[in-house]
Amino acid sequence: MSFALNIVTIIAISAGAFFFLAGTVGLLRFPDTLTRLHALTKADNLGLGLVVLGLLPQSGSLRGGLKLVCVWFLVLLAGATVSQLIARVARYDGPAP
């Protein structure tokens, strides 16, 4: 059973790393602030979710798993808040030079 959990962990963390990489590529390649922000926040939220999903079987206890889920939830809230603030500034101040 431990081997199967290790395989699930490796697959989930690798998929999460792929989404982090895809978000970074979107950040570098898209033309304006709002599309860059969209690509980065969506890919990073999914990437972190997959990393947490991969780490949950390795946490060893319910308390460790709850800490991982709480960190994921706090990052989701912070990412949503910051992206709203950045989008508001980009909308009212116009594109950066």
Side-chain angles (χ1 to χ4, degrees):
M1 187 67 174
S2 176
F3 180 71
L5 288 178
N6 288 339
I7 295 298
V8 168
T9 297
I10 290 170
I11 291 172
I13 290 177
S14 298
F18 171 76
F19 279 103
F20 280 133
L21 181 67
T24 303
V25 169
L27 177 68
L28 297 174
R29 301 232 354 150
F30 283 143
D32 63 338
T33 305
L34 296 179
T35 55
R36 288 178 182 174
L37 188 64
H38 177 75
L40 188 62
T41 55
K42 299 301 177 190
D44 281 353
N45 288 337
L46 184 58
L48 184 60
L50 287 169
V51 169
V52 168
L53 182 69
L55 290 176
L56 281 176
Q58 305 295 329
S59 66
S61 67
L62 181 62
R63 185 174 179 181
L66 286 175
K67 285 180 184 179
L68 285 171
V69 171
C70 285
V71 166
W72 181 45
F73 182 68
L74 289 173
V75 169
L76 285 175
L77 286 176
T81 303
V82 169
S83 65
Q84 288 291 321
L85 293 172
I86 292 172
R88 183 176 297 156
V89 167
R91 181 176 174 200
Y92 290 125
D93 290 347

